[in-house]
Amino acid sequence: MDAPRKHQVSLRGASAKEITRDDLLQKVSRERELRNYAKRAAAAALFIQRVWRRFKVMKMVSLQLQQEWETMVNNYSGVKTAVWISDNLLRPFLFFMISSSTKHQKIHRKKIDSVKICFTILLESLKSSDSKQNYCFLAIGTTEERRIWSYQVQQLTSLGFLILSEFSECNSGAEDITIVTSLAMRVLVMLTDLKGWKGITDDNRLDADLAVKDLIQFLGSSKSGSYVSIARYISALDNYSSKSRIITQADENFFITTSAITLAVRPFHLTNFNVEGPGMLDVNHAVKQYIVYLLTIPWLVQHLPPVLLPALKHKSILFPCFQNLLILKENVLMEMSELDKSENVVSFKAIPPVGWALANIICLSRGNENDSIDSGSFNQGLNYALYVHVVIILAESLLACLDNIGWVRKRKALQTDVESSRQPVDLVRHEGEATNESLIMSFMDQFRPVCQQWHLTNLLASINRDASNKAETLLSNSVESLGKLDLCDIALFYSNLIRIFSVLSPIRGSLPVLNMLSFTPGFLVKLWGVLEVSFISGDKHISDNHKSGNVKQKALEKMQKQVSKDGTNKWVSVLHKFTGKSQTATGDTDPTGNHSEPSRVNEDSSDIWDVEPMRHGPQGIPKDMFSLLHLFCATYSHLLLVLDDIEFYEKQVPFKLEQQRRIASMLNTLVYNGLSHVSSHHNGFLMDCAVRCLHLMYERDCRHPFCPPDLWLSPARKSRPPIAVAARTHEILSANLRFDDSSASLSVGSVITMTPHVFPFEERVEMFREFIKMDKASRKMAGEISEPGSRAVEIVVRRGHIVEDGFRQLNSLGPRLKSSIHVSFVSESGLLEAGLDYGGLSKEFLTDISKAAFSPEYGLFTQTSTSDRLLIPTASARYLDNGFQMIEFLGRVVGKALYEGILLDYSFSHVFVEKLLGRYSFLDELSTLDPELYRNLMYVKNYDGDVKDLCLDFTVTEESFGKRHVVELKSGGKDISVTNENKMQYIHAMADYKLNQQILPFSNAFYRGLTDLVSPSWLKLFNANEFNQLLSGGNYDIDVDDLKNNTRYTGGYNEGSRTIKIFWEVLLPHVIKGFEPEERCMLLKFVTSCSRAPLLGFKYLQPPFTIHKVACDVPLWATIGGQDVERLPSASTCYNTLKLPTYKRSGTLRTKLLYAISSNAGFELS
């Protein structure tokens, strides 16, 4: 084929490149569009010119007409009849006013005088009794006169509200606009009130009534702009609550306000809203506008004079509003949201309009404003059921709005910052937060009625009223349920309000409403009664749990060692998901490594505390019970903070101990399963309250048990993950959460962090050791640990100055203290002791430094006045040189001991440990710190007489180094006497000072040192008692068989040696002359410097328990004669070694051993 030619010859005979068909069509199309665009542009230009010419002509004609109108009115001297007013006064007036003002929503100042003249003449006409002069009589005249009258009064109505809107934007003191607005309001009030029409007879009353209703119907429509103008006007008013002046009838502003409110409620009476008649569902557009524009005005009640509030509170106004909101809620809420976007009417001050509607309805539903706060009441005739349902709808909508704009997350972050920060609250607020804080507090003040007890008691009383209530019988089938009220409705009402309080005011929180709910007699019992019937009564195991006490006690002793295959694989797959490993790659290897598999509580025992309806977490809770459960958890957790042990255990209020166990089991099952399953963020508020309530009950049980141990273990009996999997998953999830705040990744980590008690204590100790093992592995990968001893810390310590030397050389290391410590001791004579440190000397160093520093004689710690004599920082330590630094250093010493698994024979006060675990202490915990002070405070609390007789004030006196210091519990406390009214404040202030304020600086210092070596999340696996066990070991006895199986023999001893056999016989408890438990503990302390065994058994004692042979040559004749070895046993505590001579008789060994362990000496006996 021939190659194509580069050039083609066109039909025109010229050589050119031809255009394709498609390009030609596109070119023609573009040209056609350009021509069409040119035509449209030309047409638009002509239209703009016509509009502009029309505007110029209209403006010129209106100005000319206004001049002629003013000349005519000023020069007219005849009788001003109704026809003259309609034809000669209003017709031209409305033309030049509407043409220049209404179109631009603005009244020119030049026309103020014209408006004033027109409305003055019109007002005089309306006051006339002559039918020929009264303008209103045109409404009952001929058909043409009625049509013209109807049109003119509608235009006058729109103009009047335009003037009202203009008045709201003017500066105060503008006399002309004030007079004009007053005249316009007078005219509109008279036109819309048939009673104000002069000369109306019975013959024409019906026609006049129809005319007025037509006008009021227009007044309630959106065309009139009435509610928009009234909303602008009211929102611009000053706060009447801040005024001290007396309002008189001559006050023009007061009259304008009264007229505006009168006109606002006129449409309600037009629609014949008879609360006691069948027209209940006859809703109209005016009511919806009233709700959308007036009820959303910020601080509506405060803007209005108190004398006008009864008009807005009347049942004939509130009832249609409630009705409209319930039936047309989607439509009404949508208009409110659109109002928030525009803000053309009023400024909502950062609170959504639905929030102001909620606050205003609550304020308007309250009775007389003059009532005291405690003796308040609802409005007479208020329908409680409709009120509750309306508040629920608005509250849920407000919460949705706040969630959409991110307010919930922002305020929750602020709350977290405040709780974790040591700085004052104002310093941690986000930028702009302080500006809105006063606004939010002012908004929250509108909710004061719901925080009063009368509010709740009235709602509860309405539940028990006769079901044949008149208001209920009037409801149609579609909304019949909304006319009824039950406990679930009230629970949803207060549940939503608590959430609003918590979101808008995270620092103050929902304390006002929770205080009221907690101390309303019988309310918590009512809530629990419904919950118990719904969740507990149907559970046969829980209902019959009191019959199986012995079975439960035995259940804890029977532990299963096998992990179910399904449970293990579930958690292994979770670990693989986060580590990136596939299950196929792991094969059938043991996921727990060398650790023993977790023990399982006997299923029959634990089943009785596993509440079946809660096994699916919040998702399994019925909708009607959801809010009731949330309200119960929030209220009861608040009450538990102030409930003392006498009330809880002895008086057993508000619940019996058996009920407390049921509550604990329900919450335990709910929280565990809620954290185990991926939960929607909409359930977060329930989980937060449930977790808080569960923690308070668990901590009280730890201090003074009221629940069987298997109750806390019950939910996780089947699905608990293996130890290594749980520990590694927790660490991986914690790391991920630092970069991704995803609720979906919380499951396993949250269970371990939030509910560690579902794991048996032994498993949590293994988990703690696994955390340390993982930390050491990560340090090794980071190069912090290379070869044994290569990065060890070398220190030289004088025996007589062990605390000072240790502080000087180790305190500055911080986290580097995790490395090995090689200690060289200097004897009392100043000579360096011989020997190398292979771990024993460092253990001896930690043991000796803790023994010296924790001694009360050293001045840093003292012992509590309780029988167990636990350690707590002494208040006078703040006055010592380097007092806080020394306590911080001791925190590092304890952290080092925990990190290395070295036991210290010391236990700290429950209150002090609570601070280390990040928990706040309350009144009921004071008994563990100072029983005498607790008894005295309970005496004051239950004192029947006048507390003033005790001569107490809000101060506490401290004594240190012979000097007394007076500390005020509150500002000006020395001048405030304790009375019957404020004694509860005094009791809790005193408890707060002793439990929190006084000890906090010391606990913070100790915490800083402790967490240099041990992560805070690891510590939170334990409660206060378990922390002490972790530090100092198990029970006050030892398992001889376990010790025997994990003992090492050196120097020539073995298990078959005669002395060794005698030794174990002496230690056994069942032997007649065997050691008592106390003596066995003394032996353990003699050898290891700690009287208690390791928590997981002697397998974990480092270095291992060792018995070393001490050969003693005894003459043969002495042995035959009955003489045995005279040498005493000795010990090397740094190596956990007992140096035992070769005794031949059990009696000699027992006597010598008891003497040695009772002499408080060890190595010195060698």
Side-chain angles (χ1 to χ4, degrees):
M1 181 180 294
D2 296 333
R5 289 176 296 177
K6 294 184 178 180
H7 300 284
Q8 293 179 353
V9 178
S10 70
L11 297 178
R12 297 187 300 274
S15 178
K17 185 177 182 180
E18 290 292 337
I19 188 170
T20 64
R21 180 176 181 275
D22 292 338
D23 292 339
L24 179 61
L25 291 176
Q26 290 181 5
K27 180 179 179 181
V28 172
S29 176
R30 285 196 299 268
E31 291 175 350
R32 184 182 299 112
E33 289 180 1
L34 289 175
R35 288 194 299 272
N36 290 335
Y37 175 77
K39 291 180 181 179
R40 292 195 302 270
L46 291 175
F47 177 77
I48 294 173
Q49 291 174 7
R50 285 197 301 268
V51 171
W52 176 246
R53 285 196 299 268
R54 181 178 181 274
F55 171 74
K56 289 188 67 176
V57 172
M58 287 284 291
K59 184 176 181 181
M60 181 179 62
V61 171
S62 63
L63 289 176
Q64 183 181 353
L65 188 60
Q66 180 182 358
Q67 293 173 0
E68 295 175 357
W69 180 85
E70 291 176 353
T71 303
M72 182 271 298
V73 172
N74 292 331
N75 296 331
Y76 184 77
S77 59
V79 178
K80 298 179 177 68
T81 63
V83 175
W84 181 87
I85 292 174
S86 176
D87 295 340
N88 300 94
L89 182 71
L90 291 180
R91 180 172 293 180
F93 171 78
L94 291 175
F95 175 80
F96 68 73
M97 286 299 299
I98 294 173
S99 64
S100 60
S101 299
T102 307
K103 296 294 183 182
H104 307 286
Q105 294 294 307
K106 196 75 174 176
I107 299 177
H108 295 287
R109 290 292 177 177
K110 297 178 181 180
K111 297 184 178 181
I112 293 286
D113 293 336
S114 299
V115 176
K116 182 178 179 182
I117 293 171
C118 180
F119 277 108
T120 301
I121 296 173
L122 187 58
L123 188 61
E124 291 176 356
S125 172
L126 296 177
K127 292 179 180 180
S128 175
S129 301
D130 190 347
S131 60
K132 293 183 179 181
Q133 297 182 17
N134 195 318
Y135 177 70
C136 292
F137 274 86
L138 294 179
I140 55 177
T142 64
T143 303
E144 182 65 17
E145 288 176 341
R146 293 182 183 186
R147 184 184 63 79
I148 295 174
W149 183 89
S150 177
Y151 171 77
Q152 289 179 344
V153 293
Q154 288 182 11
Q155 297 302 316
L156 286 172
T157 300
S158 299
L159 181 60
F161 285 115
L162 181 60
I163 294 172
L164 180 65
S165 180
E166 181 81 5
F167 175 67
S168 65
E169 298 175 4
C170 292
N171 296 327
S172 59
E175 184 176 355
D176 292 340
I177 191 65
T178 302
I179 295 174
V180 170
T181 306
S182 178
L183 287 171
M185 292 296 101
R186 291 174 191 269
V187 169
L188 294 183
V189 169
M190 294 186 70
L191 287 174
T192 55
D193 185 10
L194 186 59
K195 296 178 181 179
W197 288 22
K198 304 289 185 180
I200 298 298
T201 62
D202 294 338
D203 296 336
N204 52 28
R205 186 173 299 278
L206 181 59
D207 293 336
D209 184 58
L210 291 175
V212 170
K213 287 184 177 180
D214 288 341
L215 179 58
I216 295 177
Q217 188 173 2
F218 173 78
L219 173 69
S221 67
S222 56
K223 295 180 181 179
S224 67
S226 57
Y227 288 107
V228 174
S229 299
I230 294 173
R232 287 175 178 168
Y233 170 74
I234 295 177
S235 63
L237 290 176
D238 294 330
N239 193 333
Y240 267 87
S241 62
S242 63
K243 292 184 177 182
S244 59
R245 62 186 180 90
I246 300 175
I247 300 174
T248 64
Q249 295 298 327
D251 190 337
E252 292 294 337
N253 290 328
F254 172 74
F255 177 80
I256 294 172
T257 304
T258 304
S259 301
I261 296 299
T262 302
L263 294 172
V265 299
R266 279 275 161 84
F268 286 80
H269 305 293
L270 171 67
T271 52
N272 193 23
F273 276 109
N274 187 0
V275 180
E276 299 175 356
M280 178 179 172
L281 296 179
D282 186 17
V283 295
N284 66 358
H285 185 68
V287 179
K288 186 171 69 173
Q289 284 202 103
Y290 178 88
I291 297 170
V292 172
Y293 292 109
L294 264 62
L295 291 185
T296 58
I297 297 175
W299 301 288
L300 172 63
V301 174
Q302 285 73 22
H303 280 307
L304 296 176
V307 70
L308 299 181
L309 293 179
L312 301 183
K313 293 183 175 184
H314 196 267
K315 61 182 179 181
S316 63
I317 305 300
L318 290 180
F319 191 79
C321 291
F322 292 168
Q323 201 183 116
N324 198 293
L325 269 166
L326 293 173
I327 298 174
L328 303 175
K329 60 179 180 180
E330 290 84 3
N331 197 325
V332 173
L333 295 175
M334 184 182 301
E335 291 198 20
M336 285 186 183
S337 63
E338 292 174 355
L339 199 65
D340 188 24
K341 296 175 183 177
S342 63
E343 287 204 6
N344 290 329
V345 182
V346 295
S347 176
F348 296 107
K349 312 291 186 182
I351 301 294
V354 67
W356 292 111
L358 172 63
N360 290 330
I361 285 178
I362 290 175
C363 291
L364 291 173
S365 298
R366 184 184 174 185
N368 191 355
E369 293 292 327
N370 294 327
D371 292 342
S372 64
I373 294 178
D374 296 329
S375 60
S377 62
F378 286 110
N379 288 333
Q380 185 177 3
L382 180 71
N383 189 301
Y384 292 169
L386 296 184
Y387 164 71
V388 168
H389 287 109
V390 164
V391 171
I392 289 172
I393 290 174
L394 295 177
E396 290 177 345
S397 179
L398 174 60
L399 287 168
C401 289
L402 296 177
D403 189 38
N404 289 337
I405 63 179
W407 195 307
V408 176
R409 293 182 295 274
K410 181 173 67 174
R411 303 297 283 186
K412 188 170 286 188
L414 172 61
Q415 184 178 19
T416 304
D417 291 343
V418 172
E419 291 176 351
S420 60
S421 174
R422 304 297 181 189
Q423 299 175 348
V425 172
D426 291 334
L427 297 181
V428 297
R429 289 179 183 158
H430 300 288
E431 186 176 357
E433 290 288 338
T435 305
N436 291 331
E437 197 65 34
S438 59
L439 164 71
I440 295 171
M441 296 305 297
S442 178
F443 172 75
M444 299 305 298
D445 285 341
Q446 309 299 302
F447 292 84
R448 280 184 297 174
V450 302
C451 300
Q452 305 305 321
Q453 204 168 81
W454 62 263
H455 190 278
L456 175 60
T457 53
N458 284 341
L459 294 181
L460 292 175
S462 68
I463 298 178
N464 303 322
R465 288 178 184 167
D466 189 1
S468 61
N469 188 295
K470 290 184 179 180
E472 292 181 12
T473 59
L474 298 175
L475 295 171
S476 66
N477 292 333
S478 60
V479 291
E480 183 177 0
S481 60
L482 299 178
K484 298 178 181 179
L485 193 64
D486 57 26
L487 189 61
C488 290
D489 296 325
I490 296 177
L492 182 56
F493 177 96
Y494 282 101
S495 172
N496 287 334
L497 291 176
I498 288 174
R499 293 174 60 193
I500 292 173
F501 277 46
S502 300
V503 170
L504 292 179
S505 182
I507 302 195
R508 184 183 179 191
S510 50
L511 289 179
V513 67
L514 287 177
N515 282 333
M516 180 274 297
L517 294 172
S518 300
F519 296 103
T520 298
F523 180 63
L524 263 175
V525 177
K526 283 180 179 290
L527 294 180
W528 173 245
V530 177
L531 292 173
E532 189 173 25
V533 170
S534 301
F535 298 124
I536 306 296
S537 297
D539 195 320
K540 183 178 179 181
H541 292 299
I542 295 290
S543 300
D544 299 336
N545 72 81
H546 60 279
K547 299 178 182 179
S548 55
N550 295 333
V551 176
K552 289 185 291 183
Q553 185 65 29
K554 295 178 181 179
L556 193 60
E557 301 174 1
K558 298 180 179 181
M559 306 301 237
Q560 300 177 358
K561 300 297 183 181
Q562 182 178 2
V563 182
S564 65
K565 183 177 180 181
D566 294 339
T568 303
N569 289 339
K570 172 184 175 182
W571 297 109
V572 171
S573 63
V574 173
L575 177 61
H576 292 158
K577 179 179 178 181
F578 287 98
T579 57
K581 296 180 180 179
S582 63
Q583 277 187 283
T584 56
T586 59
D588 296 327
T589 57
D590 182 10
T592 62
N594 297 326
H595 293 273
S596 61
E597 295 177 336
S599 58
R600 300 286 188 242
V601 180
N602 184 279
E603 185 173 330
D604 294 337
S605 174
S606 57
D607 265 344
I608 63 175
W609 298 115
D610 192 8
V611 183
E612 185 174 359
M614 298 293 180
R615 290 177 183 172
H616 299 287
Q619 292 88 342
I621 300 175
K623 186 177 180 180
D624 58 338
M625 290 289 106
F626 197 91
S627 58
L628 197 145
L629 181 58
H630 168 247
L631 185 64
F632 176 81
C633 293
T635 305
Y636 193 41
S637 61
H638 182 74
L639 181 63
L640 284 171
L641 299 179
V642 297
L643 203 64
D644 60 65
D645 285 349
I646 296 176
E647 295 169 325
F648 190 91
Y649 293 101
E650 298 180 15
K651 298 180 180 179
Q652 296 191 20
V653 291
F655 302 112
K656 302 294 183 183
L657 290 182
E658 181 61 33
Q659 291 176 306
Q660 301 283 12
R661 286 188 278 272
R662 296 186 180 190
I663 294 171
S665 64
M666 180 189 71
L667 294 177
N668 199 37
T669 309
L670 169 66
V671 170
Y672 174 79
N673 289 286
L675 295 174
S676 299
H677 302 87
V678 177
S679 179
S680 170
H681 77 279
H682 297 293
N683 301 328
F685 62 92
L686 171 60
M687 289 299 298
D688 289 343
C689 291
V691 167
R692 183 163 59 250
C693 191
L694 177 65
H695 284 172
L696 290 171
M697 297 196 74
Y698 176 69
E699 290 168 9
R700 194 179 288 260
D701 180 73
C702 293
R703 193 173 62 257
H704 188 173
F706 63 92
C707 294
D710 56 349
L711 183 151
W712 305 111
L713 305 173
S714 176
R717 71 190 187 283
K718 296 179 180 178
S719 57
R720 195 165 64 247
I723 303 304
V725 173
R728 292 189 176 98
T729 306
H730 172 62
E731 288 296 288
I732 294 169
L733 290 174
S734 299
N736 287 346
L737 286 176
R738 284 191 280 268
F739 304 100
D740 178 22
D741 187 16
S742 173
S743 60
S745 61
L746 280 174
S747 55
V748 188
S750 291
V751 169
I752 300 173
T753 304
M754 306 299 291
T755 58
H757 58 260
V758 300
F759 293 83
F761 176 58
E762 293 78 8
E763 291 187 14
R764 280 179 279 140
V765 175
E766 290 187 50
M767 203 178 299
F768 179 81
R769 295 299 174 202
E770 184 67 25
F771 287 146
I772 294 176
K773 179 181 177 181
M774 292 163 57
D775 183 72
K776 289 182 177 180
S778 64
R779 289 176 56 232
K780 186 173 183 179
M781 293 178 62
E784 297 181 28
I785 304 175
S786 54
E787 297 178 0
S790 62
R791 291 179 179 262
V793 179
E794 303 282 350
I795 62 172
V796 178
V797 178
R798 294 170 294 173
R799 290 280 185 184
H801 301 82
I802 189 170
V803 178
E804 293 79 3
D805 290 349
F807 172 76
R808 177 173 48 82
Q809 298 178 68
L810 298 179
N811 187 52
S812 60
L813 295 180
R816 289 174 52 208
L817 197 57
K818 292 180 179 180
S819 302
S820 300
I821 302 175
H822 287 180
V823 182
S824 298
F825 283 103
V826 176
S827 66
E828 297 290 346
S829 59
L831 299 177
L832 191 66
E833 296 180 0
L836 298 176
D837 186 2
Y838 294 102
L841 293 179
S842 59
K843 173 182 178 294
E844 181 182 0
F845 166 73
L846 292 176
T847 303
D848 290 349
I849 195 174
S850 60
K851 180 179 180 180
F854 288 132
S855 172
E857 289 76 15
Y858 199 82
L860 292 175
F861 280 78
T862 186
Q863 294 179 331
T864 61
S865 56
T866 55
S867 58
D868 41 16
R869 312 295 292 174
L870 301 175
L871 291 174
I872 193 167
T874 179
S876 59
R878 69 176 72 243
Y879 303 109
L880 297 176
D881 293 338
N882 298 325
F884 287 112
Q885 291 88 342
M886 288 293 295
I887 290 179
E888 182 176 343
F889 170 64
L890 291 181
R892 293 189 178 94
V893 170
V894 171
K896 178 65 174 177
L898 291 173
Y899 194 80
E900 300 296 345
I902 297 173
L903 299 180
L904 301 179
D905 200 12
Y906 302 96
S907 295
F908 295 102
S909 166
H910 179 276
V911 174
F912 181 67
V913 178
E914 286 285 294
K915 297 296 165 294
L916 302 180
L917 301 180
R919 297 164 190 161
Y920 199 83
S921 298
F922 297 93
L923 173 64
D924 55 289
E925 300 176 48
L926 185 60
S927 59
T928 64
L929 179 65
D930 193 338
E932 183 179 0
L933 176 60
Y934 179 75
R935 287 193 297 270
N936 292 338
L937 291 179
M938 291 301 100
Y939 175 79
V940 174
K941 178 180 179 179
N942 301 309
Y943 189 69
D944 295 332
D946 190 352
V947 179
K948 282 187 177 180
D949 299 338
L950 302 179
C951 301
L952 299 173
D953 56 24
F954 280 78
T955 62
V956 60
T957 303
E958 294 182 348
E959 184 174 354
S960 60
F961 303 109
K963 295 183 179 180
R964 291 178 175 269
H965 305 274
V966 177
V967 180
E968 292 184 338
L969 298 177
K970 60 190 301 186
S971 180
K974 63 182 179 181
D975 300 321
I976 303 175
S977 299
V978 179
T979 63
N980 289 339
E981 290 72 24
N982 63 14
K983 67 179 182 181
M984 291 304 299
Q985 297 180 22
Y986 169 76
I987 291 171
H988 287 284
M990 178 66 78
D992 179 64
Y993 177 77
K994 287 291 186 180
L995 295 172
N996 300 297
Q997 298 182 34
Q998 187 182 51
I999 200 175
L1000 192 60
F1002 305 105
S1003 62
N1004 285 344
F1006 195 92
Y1007 177 83
R1008 289 192 298 270
L1010 179 65
T1011 53
D1012 274 346
L1013 289 93
V1014 180
S1015 171
S1017 62
W1018 305 350
L1019 296 176
K1020 290 182 179 180
L1021 293 173
F1022 310 99
N1023 59 45
N1025 294 330
E1026 292 168 343
F1027 176 86
N1028 282 328
Q1029 292 185 54
L1030 186 69
L1031 177 64
S1032 57
N1035 298 324
Y1036 287 96
D1037 196 4
I1038 62 175
D1039 185 344
V1040 177
D1041 291 333
D1042 181 40
L1043 177 62
K1044 182 178 179 181
N1045 294 333
N1046 292 281
T1047 296
R1048 189 177 62 178
Y1049 304 100
T1050 60
Y1053 276 147
N1054 56 55
E1055 293 183 4
S1057 301
R1058 180 180 178 183
T1059 303
I1060 297 299
K1061 292 181 179 180
I1062 295 174
F1063 174 81
W1064 293 120
E1065 290 178 2
V1066 170
L1067 252 63
L1068 289 175
H1070 56 270
V1071 178
I1072 297 178
K1073 292 186 179 182
F1075 273 25
E1076 298 295 331
E1078 182 180 355
E1079 295 170 338
R1080 286 192 289 270
C1081 292
M1082 291 172 61
L1083 170 65
L1084 190 61
K1085 185 170 184 177
F1086 177 74
V1087 179
T1088 67
S1089 74
C1090 184
S1091 60
R1092 284 182 279 187
L1095 292 174
L1096 303 180
F1098 286 97
K1099 174 183 177 181
Y1100 292 90
L1101 181 65
Q1102 293 296 330
F1105 189 89
T1106 303
I1107 300 178
H1108 182 75
K1109 181 177 182 179
V1110 179
C1112 298
D1113 296 330
V1114 180
L1116 179 61
W1117 61 268
T1119 304
I1120 296 174
Q1123 187 177 355
D1124 205 344
V1125 178
E1126 292 294 334
R1127 187 171 180 175
L1128 290 172
S1130 62
S1132 177
T1133 56
C1134 56
Y1135 295 105
N1136 296 333
T1137 299
L1138 172 65
K1139 299 177 180 179
L1140 187 66
T1142 53
Y1143 299 112
K1144 303 297 189 293
R1145 297 183 180 86
S1146 60
T1148 305
L1149 188 146
R1150 185 178 188 277
T1151 302
K1152 298 292 185 181
L1153 199 55
L1154 281 177
Y1155 181 85
I1157 64 179
S1158 303
S1159 63
N1160 292 324
F1163 188 78
E1164 296 88 345
L1165 298 176
S1166 298

